[in-house]
Amino acid sequence: VYNMLKLSRGLFMITGEKKYLDYYENTFYNSILSSQNPETGMTTYFQPMATGYFKTYGEPFTKFWCCTGSGMENFTKLNDSLYFYRGSDIFVNMYFDSVLNSTEHDLKLEIKTALPFGKKTCVKLTTLDGAKKTDRLKLIFKMPDWVDEPEKVVFRLNGTESGSATVIPGRDWAVVEGEFADGDVIEFELPMKLKAAGLPDDERVFGLKYGPLVLSADLGRENMSTTITGVDVTVPARKIAASEVIVLPDGVNAGDFAKDPEKYVTVEQPEGEGASVTVIPAGSKLRFSAHFLRYRDRYGIYFYYLTGDEAREAAAEGRFGNTEDVDTVMPGYGQYENDELHAMLEKDTESVTSGATYRIAKAGGAFSYRMAVDRSRKNRIRMMLRLCDNRKPLRISADGTDLYNDNLAYRGTDQYYPFEIELPGSVVAGAEHITANGAEYDVVTIAFSGTPEADSAAVCDFVKVVAY
């Protein structure tokens, strides 16, 4: 994130395009603030995006990962792009409580704001040398990408609309221009609205954003146990989500919801400028609130918004139900394959981590992992395969029992697509009980190969064992 902030700042300075500052602001609220436990000061190595997980944090002396070090630098970037100037133009880019002392413009500019929960922002102007007025200045206020109808934002100078200043509203920037007197106060409100942000691979999946804030649903604190992956990285042991589906009201489909989500939810915002908003979808018991405040709970950002018929069909097929991720491994990424639990064995394989992450068994080769299973439930293996590997062989076995042994024949058009296969109950029942990373697991060995004459298809992204 630190390098992306540096890049977006530099690109704005070169191009003047507002989109780079919008990226900066969205990253501040929803990534940087979300990365820290406010009670301990510890930060995350990563933030799970799949519904049903929770954040894990480093420790002062025993858990300090590579991204912990670089992530600390994020917090040094928070005040270096609030303001820019060009000649007599002063750009106000983000609305946090802050003070700008500009000797070039003989001006102290102080911001007090109710954001991110309230709408009102107050800007107090003070001359630095005691003069009654400044030279003529342009204060250029960024209209964030989340503002509803930004060209209608009203600016008041000393309580009067526009006052003695010239105001030029705009969709991207609003300009307040004039010779400002010592003690002048500019006030305005940035209206917020609930928006649905979709994913490219399924038009029925949305995350919710209210104003600048990504929202996540509170999924409780059931079984908040952790485990270890890679080089002693702490991760949630299980994904737990009763459902990843929100059933829409009768006659409403995902497209309707995306156009105007506020029609189909209840928005609760207690009085008081510091009160966090809560969003409750119609017919749902889920409560969504600011994700950066959710540091001790399981959560869900993305959900499937389905019609009643779609939800019943999904339930009949066993999709989006009460599934748990029991175990995960990342083919091709060595540190996550060679940890004590997964203990990869491989012969004549190729791993790739550039652009995509995957592992291929060369002709006559193979690779395998020990993977945890849940003896008390049914288990399935999930993985990602590639369209370009159609007609290539892939053999998958579990403790020597073939689960799949054929040439791929995918009929869709996605470049990467999910592939699932059931783990037989007899294999799960015979799982070996081991101790790894200080925890106990029931494991089976999942192996992948091609043929003696041909390379295997690539096994991509993640291999998961899910219980249902």
Side-chain angles (χ1 to χ4, degrees):
V1 173
Y2 174 75
N3 288 330
M4 291 301 294
L5 293 180
K6 290 175 63 177
L7 178 62
S8 60
R9 171 186 167 91
L11 287 171
F12 171 72
M13 293 173 69
I14 293 170
T15 68
E17 292 186 40
K18 184 182 78 80
K19 65 182 180 180
Y20 298 114
L21 296 177
D22 286 330
Y23 173 86
Y24 209 103
E25 180 185 36
N26 282 309
T27 301
F28 171 83
Y29 281 122
N30 301 305
S31 181
I32 296 176
L33 286 184
S34 289
S35 71
Q36 188 172 47
N37 182 327
E39 295 180 358
T40 65
M42 296 295 99
T43 56
T44 59
Y45 177 68
F46 69 103
Q47 295 187 49
M49 297 301 289
T51 298
Y53 285 114
F54 55 93
K55 300 173 188 176
T56 57
Y57 301 92
E59 299 173 8
F61 304 107
T62 59
K63 303 284 186 180
F64 198 92
W65 309 295
C66 56
C67 288
T68 308
S70 57
M72 291 175 66
E73 298 177 86
N74 294 333
F75 294 90
T76 72
K77 302 295 293 178
L78 302 185
N79 67 345
D80 74 352
S81 295
L82 299 183
Y83 306 96
F84 285 88
Y85 73 89
R86 181 181 58 200
S88 61
D89 299 346
I90 299 176
F91 293 80
V92 182
N93 297 327
M94 289 181 283
Y95 303 106
F96 308 130
D97 286 1
S98 58
V99 177
L100 169 68
N101 289 295
S102 176
T103 56
E104 292 88 346
H105 303 94
D106 184 34
L107 181 69
K108 174 184 175 182
L109 186 155
E110 183 177 4
I111 287 182
K112 295 289 185 181
T113 184
L115 289 168
F117 303 121
K119 302 174 183 178
K120 187 175 180 180
T121 294
C122 176
V123 182
K124 183 178 180 181
L125 306 175
T126 309
T127 57
L128 292 178
D129 64 358
K132 293 183 178 180
K133 285 190 175 183
T134 66
D135 293 334
R136 192 165 188 85
L137 298 174
K138 284 184 182 179
L139 302 181
I140 303 174
F141 294 93
K142 180 175 77 76
M143 293 291 100
D145 61 354
W146 48 264
V147 171
D148 188 37
E149 299 185 303
E151 63 276 4
K152 295 184 179 180
V153 172
V154 174
F155 287 81
R156 289 182 169 82
L157 179 61
N158 301 324
T160 303
E161 189 170 331
S162 297
S164 60
T166 300
V167 177
I168 305 172
R171 175 157 288 278
D172 291 338
W173 308 91
V175 178
V176 181
E177 183 176 7
E179 295 177 1
F180 298 101
D182 183 55
D184 274 353
V185 174
I186 299 170
E187 294 178 304
F188 55 93
E189 293 186 358
L190 298 178
M192 301 182 193
K193 190 174 182 178
L194 185 69
K195 296 183 179 180
L199 290 179
D201 58 346
D202 195 320
E203 60 186 9
R204 303 169 301 171
V205 179
F206 301 105
L208 300 179
K209 191 178 180 187
Y210 190 81
L213 299 176
V214 169
L215 307 181
S216 63
D218 182 356
L219 300 183
R221 300 182 185 177
E222 178 187 351
N223 190 14
M224 302 284 281
S225 58
T226 61
T227 186
I228 301 296
T229 190
V231 184
D232 204 24
V233 176
T234 305
V235 295
R238 292 257 176 118
K239 165 185 171 177
I240 299 178
S243 177
E244 296 180 42
V245 170
I246 292 174
V247 181
L248 295 167
D250 290 344
V252 179
N253 60 36
D256 299 326
F257 180 84
K259 289 176 185 177
D260 190 3
E262 281 197 2
K263 288 177 63 176
Y264 311 108
V265 304
T266 299
V267 178
E268 295 180 351
Q269 189 162 23
E271 291 185 7
E273 292 292 353
S276 177
V277 66
T278 298
V279 171
I280 309 167
S284 172
K285 296 181 180 179
L286 295 174
R287 300 176 68 88
F288 290 77
S289 55
H291 182 61
F292 83 83
L293 294 176
R294 199 173 306 290
Y295 60 95
R296 294 181 295 177
D297 314 307
R298 292 186 182 274
Y299 57 80
I301 296 176
Y302 290 102
F303 285 83
Y304 291 84
Y305 288 78
L306 305 181
T307 66
D309 288 343
E310 289 172 332
R312 284 186 286 273
E313 179 183 345
E317 296 175 358
R319 294 182 289 131
F320 318 136
N322 187 16
T323 64
E324 297 181 23
D325 285 357
V326 179
D327 195 10
T328 303
V329 68
M330 192 174 189
Y333 207 130
Q335 67 168 309
Y336 296 111
E337 300 171 291
N338 292 301
D339 62 297
E340 188 176 0
L341 169 59
H342 298 111
M344 179 181 68
L345 296 175
E346 62 91 17
K347 175 186 177 185
D348 294 336
T349 71
E350 176 186 359
S351 66
V352 173
T353 57
S354 178
T357 303
Y358 56 85
R359 187 173 290 277
I360 294 172
K362 307 299 284 185
F367 59 98
S368 66
Y369 312 107
R370 290 191 312 197
M371 298 201 70
V373 295
D374 185 341
R375 287 179 183 267
S376 65
R377 303 172 72 180
K378 294 181 179 180
N379 294 254
R380 294 180 70 84
I381 300 174
R382 290 179 177 170
M383 66 195 76
M384 297 295 290
L385 302 176
R386 304 185 302 180
L387 173 63
C388 65
D389 284 338
N390 260 1
R391 296 184 294 279
K392 289 186 179 180
L394 182 62
R395 181 182 182 185
I396 307 170
S397 65
D399 283 348
T401 298
D402 275 1
L403 307 180
Y404 181 87
N405 189 3
D406 206 344
N407 292 335
L408 299 185
Y410 174 60
R411 297 186 179 183
T413 58
D414 295 333
Q415 297 302 304
Y416 291 86
Y417 61 93
F419 181 85
E420 292 193 16
I421 196 163
E422 191 84 11
L423 269 174
S426 58
V427 172
V428 174
E432 179 186 4
H433 192 76
I434 67 165
T435 300
N437 304 318
E440 296 187 356
Y441 301 92
D442 295 317
V443 300
V444 299
T445 298
I446 310 297
F448 303 89
S449 61
T451 69
E453 298 79 24
D455 296 353
S456 75
V459 181
C460 309
D461 197 16
F462 293 98
V463 175
K464 296 184 177 183
V465 172
V466 297
Y468 64 100

